[in-house]
Structures are given as structure tokens and as C-alpha cells.
Amino acid sequence: MCQITEKDTKKKVLSCIQPSGMLTLGNYLGALKNWVSMQEEFDCTYAVADLHAITVRQEPAKLRSQIYSTFAIMLALGLDPEKNTMFIQSHVPEHAQLAWLLSCYTQFGEMSRMTQFKDKSAKHADNINVGLFAYPALMAADILLYKPDFVPVGADQKQHLEIARDIAVRFNNIYGDVFTVPEPYIPKTGARVMSLQDPSKKMSKSDENVNSWVAILDSKDDIIRKFKRAVTDSETVVRYSQDKPGISNLLGIYSAVTGKSNEQIEREFEGKGYGDFKLAVGEAVADELAPIKAAYDKIISDKGELERLYRLGADKAERVARKTYFKAMKKVGFVL
Ligand code: ATP
Ligand code: LTN
């Protein structure tokens, strides 16, 4: 007789993050914070998307250390490796294998519309590789292998998620019910944290200007200094407005960290200048990130335990991934 466990009845969640640099406050507020809050209610699978990271040239030693540190940050956030499935993408070969299959069900035209591809090819004009173009097929594979109901991401990933949904629907229409069509799960505040130096651009860990982003592992002094230097405007009133992208970005960050509404924040800083406001944002962010940094410092020093945990995660992930992958292969007509 087949027993139904709690795991079987829970809705499923999947998300990944690239080890392409120091994780930022944007990654934290846009995605990672939700990963943590979702782990109680959902059956969650979280991965370090190392295969995605090489769509941009990476220095080998640096990539290796970033893979370790990204996995360690996931643990430092309080994600439980026993309860969730946490692993490194390249350790589960079905990701790359299914990506190939899915790329044959994805049109050149729909890939060409991806804004991330356009942005990154403009930024890395000397390395517009096929992997960068095909990136959404690998992301679709990451997702569809685990049949998640929800995918917690920042707003910038919505377009990639839509293509994953389109691919799933297309495949299911031809072959029957193979993939679950997932929903994006985007936070109300913090979904799009902007650069502190140019609030028209998203905060990105691959931005060369270190003052444009706050890293999860930055010291309190660095965090406060970066907020003090944040680009604002020539007014002095703390209020949310599309014409004030710098201040509005800081308002969004403060709101995401403290849970206060824009109106409450505007009232709190009535009659005060930008200096006071920037300091308050810096302190609130530093206080939120301090326990993560403290936990990280302990976790990263024990490589043996780190390895035990990512191997455990890969074993759990592979058991699920293999089933979906073989089902898809069989439907297409491969001899298994
Ligand atoms: P890169 O800068 O190398 O392209 P990235 O930080 O944009 O990397 P990922 O590491 O793959 O990309 O992003 C992980 C998660 O963080 C995704 O869910 C993404 O939507 C979210 N995210 C990234 N930047 C921001 C941001 N500025 N604001 C909110 N969410 C973000
Ligand atoms: N492309 C994503 C990272 C990513 C991802 C995924 C997110 C890779 N695979 C699967 C959610 C689900 C990004 O944020 N740049």
C-alpha cells in the first residue's frame, strides 16, 4: 500500500541562484528572503546555478570559491538542508540533458526577445556565446524537472519564467501531461532593487562599481558608507515618486527590511533630511544582514560538512530529476 506523507501533500517550490559574484541585497530581498519564508509551508528545492554562471567568462579559482560561498550563504540564511533539497546544479546532469531536449521545443524568435540576453550581450559584446542565448532553456529545465507550483524570483526573471511556462505548455500539448506549469512568486516589496549609483539600473552583483551594490556579506561600516553615497536628487523631502528614483529605491529597501509602508516611512522622516534617512536605511539593512554574515563565517570554515550537505542534496534532487527526465525522453520516442 502506498503511504501519503506530508511531503506528498505540500505544494512544491523551486528556485536557483547563480554563483556569479558576491550575492547582493537585491538577491536577498528579491528572492532569498522568500526562499526562507517558504521553507515551512512548501516542499522546497534550491540550487546554485553554476552552469548558468559560465554564460559570462569566469576565472576558474574564483568560480569555485563563489560556488562554495553561494551554497554556504544559502545555509547561513537558515535554509534547512534536511527539510529542503539544496544542491549544486552541475551535480545533477539531468539539468543539462533536459535543457537540450527543451531547446528543440523553443523557437529562435522567442529566445531573441529576452531582455536579459539583450542587456548581457550589450555588456559583453566580445563574448555573445550560444549559451547566453540558450540560457532560458537551461532555466526551464531547472524548473520543469522538479514540477514546482511556485518559483520565487525577483521581477527581472519574470520573462524567463514565462518562457519556461510556454515551453511546458507546448510540450504537454504534444505529449500529454509531463510538466507542471509553474507560477512566479514575486515579493511585493524588494522585487526590483536598483543600483545605489544609478537607480535606472537593477542592482547587480556583476556591476564593476562596488558602491552600486550592497553584498550580503558586507561589513556594517561598508553598508552604511554605501548608503551614505547613494545617488538621490536635489530635493530634501523623503517621499515616493517616479521622478525620484534614488529616494524611491531607498524607500523600497527600507520598506522591505522593516515591513513599514511608504506612508509610515514618509511620516517617520518628515522634517528630516536625506542624511538621516540614508543612515537609517543603512543601519536597518546592516542589522538584518549581520546574523547571516556571522553564520556564514562559521559555515564556510567547515568544507567537509559543506561537501556532505551538497552531496546529500544532489542525491535527493537526482532521484526526482531522473524520473521527469526519463518520462520526457520516453514521450519523445527515445529508446531507454
Ligand atoms: P548577474 O548580476 O550575474 O546577472 P543576478 O544577481 O541578476 O546575477 P541571479 O544570481 O541568478 O542573477 O539572481 C538570483 C535571484 O535574485 C533571482 O531571483 C533574481 O530575480 C534576483 N535578483 C537579482 N537581482 C535583483 C535585484 N536587483 N532586485 C531584486 N531581485 C534581484
Ligand atoms: N536565471 C536566474 C537564475 C536561475 C533560476 C533558475 C531562477 C537559474 N535557474 C530556475 C529560478 C528558477 C537569475 O536569476 N538570473
Side-chain angles (χ1 to χ4, degrees):
M1 205 174 70
C2 157
Q3 263 201 332
I4 295 178
T5 64
E6 194 195 8
K7 216 171 160 57
D8 296 322
T9 58
K10 279 183 169 179
K11 292 230 180 222
K12 295 196 183 73
V13 161
L14 172 127
S15 199
C16 305
I17 188 156
Q18 297 185 77
S20 48
M22 298 281 274
L23 300 198
T24 69
L25 181 65
N27 297 133
Y28 177 69
L29 295 178
L32 299 173
K33 216 175 154 162
N34 268 339
W35 292 20
V36 178
S37 64
M38 293 175 103
Q39 69 174 335
E40 296 304 330
E41 194 182 334
F42 300 98
D43 173 11
C44 301
T45 301
Y46 297 128
V48 177
D50 55 347
L51 295 172
H52 277 100
I54 64 159
T55 53
V56 170
R57 189 77 73 239
Q58 304 284 344
E59 208 252 292
K62 215 164 146 198
L63 176 63
R64 199 169 296 120
S65 101
Q66 281 166 189
I67 294 170
Y68 279 121
S69 79
T70 304
F71 192 78
I73 287 188
M74 284 163 53
L75 295 166
L77 288 163
L79 291 172
D80 181 342
E82 306 287 339
K83 194 163 22 170
N84 307 301
T85 300
M86 293 163 60
F87 66 104
I88 297 170
Q89 182 191 33
S90 64
H91 292 180
V92 181
E94 284 80 1
H95 289 245
Q97 292 172 318
L98 185 65
W100 169 252
L101 211 72
L102 298 183
S103 70
C104 299
Y105 296 81
T106 312
Q107 299 304 302
F108 190 88
E110 58 186 337
M111 286 291 208
S112 314
R113 287 193 288 276
M114 296 294 110
T115 51
Q116 181 178 294
F117 173 68
K118 291 184 203 159
D119 291 350
K120 291 210 171 174
S121 7
K123 207 164 145 195
H124 304 278
D126 57 341
N127 184 22
I128 307 177
N129 60 76
V130 175
L132 188 65
F133 186 73
Y135 180 117
L138 179 58
M139 179 158 160
D142 298 339
I143 298 170
L144 300 180
L145 281 172
Y146 300 92
K147 305 191 174 170
D149 300 282
F150 301 109
V151 181
V153 281
D156 63 308
Q157 293 303 311
K158 200 161 175 251
Q159 200 183 26
H160 287 162
L161 216 70
E162 266 153 23
I163 211 171
R165 286 166 54 92
D166 291 345
I167 296 170
V169 169
R170 189 172 303 149
F171 198 94
N172 287 350
N173 282 342
I174 307 172
Y175 300 109
D177 202 12
V178 178
F179 299 124
T180 300
V181 183
E183 295 290 335
Y185 192 98
I186 296 172
K188 288 200 177 66
T189 52
R192 197 168 167 76
V193 177
M194 309 309 281
S195 154
L196 298 183
Q197 291 299 311
D198 176 359
S200 68
K201 287 197 319 201
K202 79 160 190 166
M203 181 181 283
S204 165
K205 54 176 130 75
S206 41
D207 196 320
E208 289 100 48
N209 184 349
V210 294
N211 289 318
S212 72
W213 44 265
V214 166
I216 295 179
L217 300 179
D218 270 348
S219 68
K220 181 165 187 167
D221 286 353
D222 280 342
I223 295 176
I224 290 180
R225 184 178 47 78
K226 288 181 185 180
F227 277 106
K228 274 190 185 156
R229 288 198 187 173
V231 168
T232 49
D233 53 65
S234 53
E235 254 192 40
T236 52
V237 189
V238 175
R239 68 180 169 88
Y240 185 88
S241 160
Q242 289 203 333
D243 311 329
K244 292 163 70 69
I247 284 293
S248 300
N249 185 35
L250 298 184
L251 261 160
I253 293 171
Y254 194 59
S255 167
V257 171
T258 61
K260 295 176 187 169
S261 68
N262 283 349
E263 297 72 40
Q264 282 173 314
I265 301 169
E266 286 169 3
R267 242 177 287 130
E268 184 179 343
F269 292 94
E270 223 172 79
K272 295 186 184 154
Y274 285 173
D276 288 343
F277 178 52
K278 286 177 171 183
L279 183 64
V281 181
E283 282 185 336
V285 168
D287 289 348
E288 169 105 1
L289 298 180
I292 304 171
K293 183 169 162 46
Y296 173 87
D297 290 341
K298 275 200 206 122
I299 292 165
I300 199 69
S301 63
D302 189 350
K303 286 269 161 62
E305 176 63 359
L306 214 54
E307 176 167 356
R308 185 185 75 79
L309 294 176
Y310 62 66
R311 299 253 174 255
L312 170 85
D315 282 351
K316 285 202 271 180
E318 171 124 43
R319 263 179 261 140
V320 179
R322 194 186 297 134
K323 270 197 204 151
T324 315
Y325 174 63
F326 280 115
K327 184 167 183 191
M329 290 287 280
K330 193 171 171 194
K331 292 279 188 184
V332 173
F334 287 97
V335 176
L336 301 180

